[in-house]
Amino acid sequence: MSLRDSVATTRRRVHRAPLQLFNISLLWLSVNFWWAGVLGLLLPLFVERLVGGEWKGTYLFYIGATGAALSSIIQLVIGPISDRTASPFGRRTPYVFIGVVLSLPAIYLFFHAPLVLRSFGWLLFAYCWVQVWMNVSNGPYQAFIPDLVPEDRQGLASAFMGMMLLIGQAGGFLGYMLLSEKLFVLCWVIIAMLGVSVLYTTISVREPASAASTLPPLEWSRILLVPLRPYPSFVWLMVSRFFINMGFYTALPFLLYYLQDALGSSDPGGDFAKLALLFTGGALLGNWPSGWLADRVSKKAIVYFTCAMMAASAIAFVLDQTLTGAFVIGFAFGLSYGAFVAVDWAFACNLVPKEQEGRYMAVWHLAFTVPQVLAPWVGPVADWFNRTYPDMPGIGWRVAFSIIPIYLAIGAWAVRHVKERKPVSV
């Protein structure tokens, strides 16, 4: 049986068995359990512990930008390699498994560096190590849906991925709330979750064996140069997603500092976790209706609506003066963000070039990782405002967050140039 026939058989099985959508998406829960706690809570806390309060925004920018830059390069390299991989376990599964397993020692070191070694250098090294191997896994993993899921079920599959992302985020925040005084226990919980879920994924997804690829050999000197001109809608989708994620990653790394400095929280870690849980609850409510609609109505219309709602919530958040108000706004923002997440993956799967899903899903993921590099540029700016105007507590974070609605407006404008492709039933 040819690879194309094997994939078609797998797609028909996925069409008949929603359990396969669960199997494909489960790993995403554990991955986001790790990343939500790291980007939102642990990394800001560890950086502040190691460098002090006056320069925390600047050093958080350094470590976040370095890690995200590595992530982008690794995905661009591993995606086209996986497209051409011949293996009895499939094109993607070997990289998914190996990448997660080799990231586990780095996760242990990530906790060890600030708590035992008390070294920013070791923290940076561990964070970059995790980024490298996690993205060896994430690049090929993202191609599972366009590879294995029928086009007319990719909206539902995207909703599964969105659900796992949101539950993983909520779990990461809740884990911090319960184990904030026992961080090494949290470390082992994360390692166990990732190890078990990648083993389950490897066994349950049953990716068809792959034969030698018919794609042309890779030109290693040009591996980072991906042809985009033939796919203008895909490019515009990337531009849209880039600016929407610029808004999200302008907020997430500095939200803990905002609660602490601008709203005067006496327990910023606990209040962040509460806000994150409310946000995630709203996002889960918005996620499933949007995923169902994504297979039936224009995905562009959903993106327009969610960007408008997120922008309104962001403006309200900048003007807010109370923790109670922040919690209410966070829930409202979550509703619209959850709806966006559900349609986001389906939109990319709808437009990704056929036969090169690994390479182009990796390129699409740049619109997720590059904002992590660029968005924290507001950290040094916020530090300057906070130092210059000490009588206005947290003014720097309010200035930083005021940029978010602008990013969202550009993201909504860019998606208007995208031409959707009608899904094909299997």
Side-chain angles (χ1 to χ4, degrees):
M1 181 182 291
S2 69
L3 176 60
R4 181 172 296 180
D5 290 339
S6 298
V7 168
T9 301
T10 303
R11 285 182 169 179
R12 285 193 291 272
R13 185 173 69 241
V14 169
H15 201 290
R16 293 194 301 267
L19 177 61
Q20 284 297 312
L21 299 182
F22 172 85
N23 294 341
I24 289 171
S25 60
L26 179 63
L27 179 59
W28 210 227
L29 186 154
S30 298
V31 168
N32 283 284
F33 185 100
W34 153 251
W35 282 120
V38 167
L39 295 177
L41 280 167
L42 295 176
L43 195 59
L45 286 172
F46 288 169
V47 168
E48 185 172 18
R49 177 178 296 189
L50 293 173
V51 306
E54 288 192 357
W55 295 96
K56 59 189 179 185
T58 302
Y59 277 82
L60 187 60
F61 165 65
Y62 291 156
I63 193 169
T66 303
L70 276 174
S71 165
S72 302
I73 293 170
I74 293 298
Q75 290 222 22
L76 282 177
V77 171
I78 208 69
I81 293 175
S82 72
D83 285 335
R84 292 162 171 79
T85 294
S87 157
F89 305 104
R91 293 188 294 172
R92 320 297 181 186
T93 301
Y95 301 101
V96 173
F97 181 80
I98 291 170
V100 171
V101 169
L102 292 183
S103 72
L104 299 183
I107 291 173
Y108 177 81
L109 180 59
F110 177 84
F111 282 83
H112 199 72
L115 300 177
V116 179
L117 299 175
R118 302 185 186 280
S119 165
F120 181 83
W122 278 111
L123 182 69
L124 174 63
F125 174 76
Y127 184 71
C128 291
W129 180 359
V130 176
Q131 284 280 19
V132 168
W133 287 108
M134 274 288 194
N135 284 285
V136 167
S137 172
N138 285 353
Y141 177 68
Q142 291 173 123
F144 272 157
I145 290 182
D147 272 0
L148 305 177
V149 179
E151 290 185 0
D152 63 340
R153 300 277 280 182
Q154 288 175 359
L156 182 61
S158 183
F160 266 88
M161 295 294 289
M163 178 185 70
M164 294 301 182
L165 180 151
L166 296 168
I167 294 174
Q169 287 180 343
F173 300 140
L174 184 61
Y176 173 82
M177 286 181 66
L178 298 175
L179 300 171
S180 59
E181 302 300 322
K182 300 177 180 178
L183 289 180
F184 272 114
V185 175
L186 178 60
C187 169
W188 286 112
V189 168
I190 292 168
I191 289 173
M193 285 183 64
L194 284 165
V196 170
S197 60
V198 77
L199 184 62
Y200 177 86
T201 300
T202 302
I203 294 170
S204 67
V205 170
R206 291 182 291 168
E207 185 186 8
S210 57
S213 172
T214 58
L215 293 171
L218 280 175
E219 297 182 50
W220 292 100
S221 63
R222 299 174 60 84
I223 193 169
L224 300 181
L225 303 177
V226 182
L228 293 174
R229 184 172 294 180
Y231 313 107
S233 289
F234 183 76
V235 172
W236 279 112
L237 180 66
M238 282 185 58
V239 172
S240 173
R241 189 180 197 250
F242 169 85
F243 280 102
I244 292 170
N245 280 308
M246 282 291 287
F248 186 76
Y249 284 102
T250 295
L252 181 62
F254 306 114
L255 192 54
L256 183 78
Y257 300 157
Y258 179 86
L259 295 173
Q260 176 180 280
D261 300 340
L263 298 184
S265 171
S266 59
D267 180 18
D271 286 331
F272 178 96
K274 293 173 187 174
L275 176 61
L277 288 173
L278 285 167
F279 166 87
T280 304
L284 285 169
L285 287 176
N287 179 256
W288 278 101
S290 179
W292 180 82
L293 286 171
D295 286 330
R296 292 162 176 81
V297 303
S298 168
K299 297 173 181 63
K300 292 167 67 171
I302 299 175
V303 173
Y304 292 146
F305 178 78
T306 55
C307 283
M309 294 300 98
M310 284 190 285
S313 299
I315 293 169
F317 200 76
V318 170
L319 300 175
D320 177 56
Q321 299 294 326
T322 68
L323 283 169
T324 301
F327 293 151
V328 173
I329 296 164
F331 179 80
F333 189 94
L335 279 170
S336 49
Y337 180 75
F340 167 74
V341 166
V343 76
D344 183 39
W345 208 294
F347 219 158
C349 294
N350 179 261
L351 296 173
V352 68
K354 301 304 177 186
E355 305 294 331
Q356 299 189 71
E357 289 88 351
R359 184 174 206 178
Y360 281 89
M361 289 299 285
V363 173
W364 172 75
H365 195 64
L366 292 180
F368 174 79
T369 56
V370 174
Q372 295 176 44
V373 178
L374 300 181
W377 70 267
V378 298
V381 175
D383 282 344
W384 182 87
F385 271 97
N386 289 331
R387 289 194 302 268
T388 305
Y389 302 100
D391 55 333
M392 302 174 69
I395 183 62
W397 311 119
R398 293 187 187 276
V399 170
F401 287 9
S402 67
I403 301 169
I404 295 173
I406 299 173
Y407 287 143
L408 293 170
I410 297 172
W413 170 82
V415 84
R416 68 187 292 269
H417 299 284
V418 174
K419 294 182 179 179
E420 298 179 65
R421 188 172 64 201
K422 287 187 176 182
V424 178
S425 299
V426 174

